[in-house]
Amino acid sequence: MKRSKIAGMGFYVPERVVKNEELTRLMDTSDEWIRERTGIEERRYGRKHEETTSTMAAIATRIACERAGIEPEEIDFIVFATLSPDYYFPGCGVLVQRELGITHREAGALDIRNQCSGFVYGLSIADQFVRTGMYKNVLVVGSEMHSMGLDFSTRGRNVTVIFGDGAGAAIVQPSEDPERGILTTRLHSDGTYAEKLSFINPGCHGGYHRNRLDEPVDYGYPPADTYGEIFITPKMLQDGLYYPYMDGQFVFKLAVQKFPEVILEALQDAGLQPSDINLLVPHQANLRISQFVQKRLGLRDDQVWNNIQRYGNTTAASIPIALCEAWEAGKVREGDLVCLAAFGSGFTWASALIRW
Ligand code: COA
C-alpha cells in the first residue's frame, strides 16, 4: 500500500492584530498576566460578518492547492475540522466546497468535531483514504472564528484571552517514494471529563451530563413534559451559559501528561527516538505546555515550532498554521522527520509522524 504525503500547505490569519493591551480595555486582565501564564502577546480576529470559518478555510486551501500543483476542482474529498462552524448545520465542509467552486458530484465532505486535535484526526482520515487508493487529493482543513463566540467580559477572561482566529490547510496525496510521507498516526480519546473544556449550549442535553458530574446548573429549561424543547433558554442568555467553559488547571495537568505520551507512542510505532525528530509542531495550547513537552522529550529550541505568541490558540487551525509557517521559514526540508501532536477538549489527543 502506498504511503500518503502532504503535497501542499497554506494558511490564512485575518489582518486585524489584537494585542493583549486591547483586551485590558474590555476585561480585568493584563498584558503581564497573559504573557506569563500563556506566552501569548497578540492574536488575530476576523472581520465580523465578512469573514467566516469557511471563508478563511477557502483562502488557506487555495494556497495549499497551488503549492500541491492542483486546482481546487481536483479535490475529491474534504475533511473539515472546527469547533466554531458557520452554522449549527450543515457543516463547514460543504460551505468551503461551495466557496472553492467544487461542483463535481464525485467530491465528498466530512466535518469532524475534535477541537484541538481535529487536524491530526483529519490527517489520519485522509491518510487511510489515500493509502487504500480511494481518493487522490484529500483536503484537510482546520479553521476557527473564535472571536464571534467568546465572552469579552471579566467573567470569560480565563478562556477569551487564549483564543484567536485563523485557518490552515493541507492537500494529502499518494507518495511516490515508499520511504516518505505519513509514517504513522495515533488517535486517542476519553470522555470522562468531557465538560472540563466545553461549549455545551446550544444542545439537547437539558442539563443531563453536567448534573451527573458537577453541581446541577439551572439552565431555565421548561418542564420535562413540555413539547418543543428549546436549545437556548432566556436564563442561558441572562447568565451567559452559551460561552466556552474551561477548567484551566485541570486541562493543563492532563495536557502535559498526554502530549509526551502520544508522541512517544508514535515514535515507538515507527522505531524512532525523540532525538530523531527534526521538528515537533505541537498544538499551540499554551507556551508553557509546549516548553514542558520539549523539556520532557529532551528537544532543543530549534526542534520545536511555537507561534502561539502571535496567533494565540487557534484550536483546529493551530497545527496546520504552525506547520505551514515552519515550512515557509525553511524549517521543514525534504527527508526531515516532522512530528505533530495535539491535545484538547473531549478529551482527545493525537500524534502524527511524517517523513517529509
Ligand atoms: N487575566 C487576569 N487574571 C486572570 C485571567 C486573566 N485573563 N484569567 C484568570 N485569572 C485569574 C483567576 O481568576 C485566578 O484568580 P484568583 O486566584 O483570584 O482566583 C488567577 O488568575 C489564577 O487562575 P488559574 O485559572 O488558576 O490560572 P492558571 O495559572 O491555571 O492559568 C490558564 C490559567 C488558563 C492560562 C492555564 O490554566 C492554562 O493554560 N490551562 C490550559 C489551557 C489550555 O491549554 N487550553 C486549551 C487546551 S487545548
Side-chain angles (χ1 to χ4, degrees):
M1 224 185 270
K2 271 191 178 176
R3 285 194 194 285
S4 75
K5 64 171 184 186
I6 293 180
M9 296 205 69
F11 82 96
Y12 170 77
V13 286
E15 269 173 40
R16 185 159 170 243
V17 176
V18 177
K19 294 198 172 289
N20 293 342
E21 182 60 33
E22 191 175 332
L23 297 181
T24 66
R25 285 179 243 140
L26 302 168
M27 62 188 82
D28 182 10
T29 188
S30 67
D31 178 44
E32 192 191 9
W33 192 97
I34 302 170
R35 276 179 200 253
E36 262 179 22
R37 311 269 177 145
T38 70
I40 299 166
E41 294 163 24
E42 59 191 42
R43 75 285 292 138
R44 305 293 181 101
Y45 287 170
R47 283 193 309 279
K48 264 190 184 172
H49 316 150
E50 283 180 45
E51 291 184 302
T52 73
T53 295
S54 64
T55 66
M56 293 192 296
I59 300 172
T61 301
R62 285 188 199 284
I63 301 167
C65 284
E66 207 181 312
R67 289 173 174 165
I70 63 163
E71 292 297 326
E73 270 281 302
E74 293 173 71
I75 292 171
D76 34 32
F77 197 77
I78 296 166
V79 185
F80 202 120
T82 186
L83 67 68
S84 50
D86 295 23
Y87 298 144
Y88 196 73
F89 74 82
C92 281
V94 295
L95 299 182
V96 77
Q97 178 182 11
R98 179 172 68 185
E99 197 76 19
L100 292 165
I102 304 171
T103 51
H104 61 88
R105 299 229 174 95
E106 287 75 32
L110 171 72
D111 283 79
I112 55 172
R113 302 185 51 178
N114 283 69
Q115 296 67 249
C116 302
S117 59
F119 183 81
V120 183
Y121 264 75
L123 197 63
S124 183
I125 292 167
D127 181 41
Q128 315 307 316
F129 277 148
V130 170
R131 275 198 290 140
T132 55
M134 186 156 170
Y135 295 119
K136 286 202 164 52
N137 290 305
V138 180
L139 164 66
V140 185
V141 59
S143 180
E144 304 286 0
M145 184 81 170
H146 286 307
S147 60
M148 288 286 281
L150 296 170
D151 181 355
F152 284 93
S153 73
T154 296
R155 181 180 55 194
R157 64 182 178 176
N158 71 319
V159 175
T160 301
V161 300
I162 293 178
F163 294 95
D165 299 345
I171 300 295
V172 180
Q173 291 178 347
S175 170
E176 295 312 318
D177 184 341
E179 304 296 319
R180 300 223 326 245
I182 297 173
L183 304 183
T184 186
T185 55
R186 311 299 303 171
L187 313 177
H188 297 287
S189 65
D190 178 357
T192 309
Y193 302 108
E195 288 78 12
K196 290 285 186 190
L197 177 51
S198 59
F199 194 153
I200 67 171
N201 296 312
C204 69
H205 59 87
Y208 173 74
H209 304 288
R210 277 296 281 277
N211 295 353
R212 281 167 64 216
L213 294 169
D214 305 317
E215 287 293 301
V217 180
D218 179 8
Y219 293 98
Y221 282 110
D225 57 359
T226 314
Y227 287 110
E229 192 76 76
I230 42 176
F231 279 175
I232 289 273
T233 64
K235 187 157 195 335
M236 286 179 194
L237 296 175
Q238 186 189 311
D239 295 353
L241 296 170
Y242 53 93
Y243 287 121
Y245 167 82
M246 178 174 71
D247 180 339
Q249 293 206 6
F250 192 93
V251 176
F252 196 101
K253 283 180 199 148
L254 216 53
V256 294
Q257 181 191 330
K258 295 299 178 192
F259 267 108
E261 232 176 70
V262 78
I263 294 168
L264 290 170
E265 187 189 336
L267 287 167
Q268 193 180 19
D269 202 31
L272 296 162
Q273 308 289 330
S275 55
D276 294 319
I277 294 175
N278 295 98
L279 194 69
L280 169 67
V281 181
H283 161 55
Q284 305 291 298
N286 180 322
L287 191 59
R288 308 288 162 252
I289 294 176
S290 296
Q291 287 166 339
F292 185 94
V293 175
Q294 174 181 340
K295 201 167 161 202
R296 169 85 174 70
L297 296 176
L299 301 177
R300 300 182 307 272
D301 286 353
D302 65 300
Q303 286 173 290
V304 185
W305 189 264
N306 288 305
N307 63 7
I308 191 168
Q309 301 90 327
R310 286 173 285 123
Y311 303 132
N313 179 343
T314 56
T315 310
S318 106
I319 288 183
I321 291 174
L323 178 58
C324 185
E325 202 182 54
W327 177 81
E328 286 178 7
K331 287 286 296 175
V332 182
R333 290 170 295 263
E334 283 194 9
D336 277 357
L337 183 71
V338 177
C339 180
L340 313 179
F343 173 85
S345 162
F347 290 99
T348 61
W349 59 103
S351 62
L353 274 183
I354 306 166
R355 179 69 67 191
W356 208 264

